[in-house]
Amino acid sequence: MERKVVKPYGTDGKSKKEEVAEMFNKISKRYDFLNHFLSVGIDKVWRRKAVNMLKEIQPKRILDLATGTGDFAIQLMKLNPTEIVGMDISEGMLEVGREKMKKRSFDQVISMVLGDSENLPFEDNYFDALTVGFGVRNYENLEKGLAEMLRVVRPGGKLIILEFSKPKKFPVKQYYSFHSKYIIPFFGKRISKDEKAYAYLPESVAAFPEGKDFTDILEKLGYRKVAARLVSGGIATIYSGVK
């Protein structure tokens, strides 16, 4: 079944990839504040859980895709890696991230690199682990991006994908529906000054193939030991797989 393509601005002649980069460049200066404000800080808990799932393999080289301003990369420092590459298609987000790394003296380990998740500039089997937080739903070609992710991880390496999902049970389902339909667009528009960006968030979540639909895609592409772990009543899901 062909998936609906959701773009932030719906501009004719512009690809989803171009629009996503444009959107994050526009909101980059206010992104961190808005992100933690709108999620009430719970996104930090989700990332901690995701990072803990990598402890067993003790990864030394880690790739964090759709890194944004580097929050996931910073959490990954708890694993004592020797190299973390944070990659994103938004230079604006990366600029904010680089400042964060310098302030924390993490820039010796974490490099913030401009790049396309669907065309990774790394050799096969280079990384021990790979993470992506709230980014795969923004891919223009989801399966191509997921295949590239698998390519650059070594055999036995682990991939963690943290993504929003749609809660199914009362009362979380009702709360999430209200929050995403009214609260996120209302505050997102006023604080970021970009009305479309925070309307795109719930639209992109609604269009994303979650749960079994997503794990089926991972297994089809060759991911092994695929699992999905719901967090916060299903507001988000941590997917994991091994190469």
Side-chain angles (χ1 to χ4, degrees):
M1 186 179 76
E2 191 171 332
R3 286 187 288 273
K4 179 185 176 185
V5 177
V6 177
K7 300 194 296 182
Y9 304 110
T11 307
D12 290 339
K14 276 194 176 180
S15 67
K16 178 175 181 178
K17 196 175 297 182
E18 289 171 320
E19 290 201 9
V20 168
E22 178 186 348
M23 176 187 74
F24 282 114
N25 283 335
K26 283 182 177 179
I27 66 174
S28 58
K29 296 292 187 284
R30 298 173 184 267
Y31 177 80
D32 278 344
F33 169 77
L34 262 171
N35 194 32
H36 301 316
F37 172 72
L38 292 173
S39 69
V40 203
I42 203 167
D43 56 308
K44 297 176 183 178
V45 177
W46 300 339
R47 287 191 191 88
R48 276 200 296 273
K49 288 182 177 180
V51 169
N52 286 338
M53 292 168 68
L54 290 173
K55 280 183 177 177
E56 61 182 358
I57 65 166
Q58 298 182 314
K60 292 304 173 188
R61 289 175 172 173
I62 307 173
L63 175 61
D64 180 44
L65 291 176
T67 194
T69 64
D71 280 348
F72 216 149
I74 289 169
Q75 285 278 348
L76 290 165
M77 286 293 289
K78 293 180 179 176
L79 299 173
N80 297 314
T82 56
E83 177 186 10
I84 298 174
V85 177
M87 178 172 279
D88 204 278
I89 59 170
S90 166
E91 183 59 39
M93 297 286 275
L94 290 167
E95 283 177 13
V96 175
R98 289 183 192 117
E99 286 304 310
K100 286 164 70 171
M101 301 313 156
K102 285 178 187 173
K103 284 179 182 176
R104 292 167 171 78
S105 299
F106 288 162
D107 52 321
Q108 298 301 309
V109 176
I110 302 173
S111 55
M112 303 290 279
V113 179
L114 186 68
D116 178 0
S117 298
E118 295 168 36
N119 296 284
L120 297 174
F122 307 107
E123 61 191 59
D124 296 0
N125 310 316
Y126 182 79
F127 294 98
D128 301 310
L130 184 151
T131 58
V132 52
F134 313 112
V136 292
R137 74 177 188 285
N138 295 324
Y139 286 6
E140 190 163 81
N141 185 325
L142 178 61
E143 292 192 14
K144 184 180 179 185
L146 294 172
E148 272 288 271
M149 288 161 54
L150 193 63
R151 177 184 68 78
V152 300
V153 172
R154 66 165 172 80
K158 196 166 187 178
L159 301 97
I160 299 287
I161 299 165
L162 173 58
E163 191 51 86
F164 286 114
S165 45
K166 299 178 281 293
K168 308 294 188 291
K169 295 182 179 179
F170 178 87
V172 182
K173 177 182 178 180
Q174 285 70 20
Y175 167 76
Y176 178 77
S177 177
F178 179 82
H179 189 77
S180 61
K181 191 173 180 180
Y182 299 106
I183 302 297
I184 290 174
F186 179 84
F187 286 103
K189 173 184 176 181
R190 280 153 183 79
I191 298 173
S192 74
K193 310 300 182 187
D194 188 330
E195 180 178 2
K196 301 281 187 174
Y198 285 88
Y200 165 75
L201 172 61
E203 289 172 4
S204 64
V205 173
F208 184 71
E210 63 174 318
K212 188 175 185 304
D213 290 338
F214 188 62
T215 57
D216 284 349
I217 295 171
L218 296 177
E219 288 174 346
K220 184 182 82 170
L221 293 171
Y223 285 66
R224 299 185 301 111
K225 299 180 182 178
V226 173
R229 176 184 176 186
L230 296 176
V231 289
S232 298
I235 293 175
T237 305
I238 304 172
Y239 301 94
S240 60
V242 173
K243 181 169 178 178

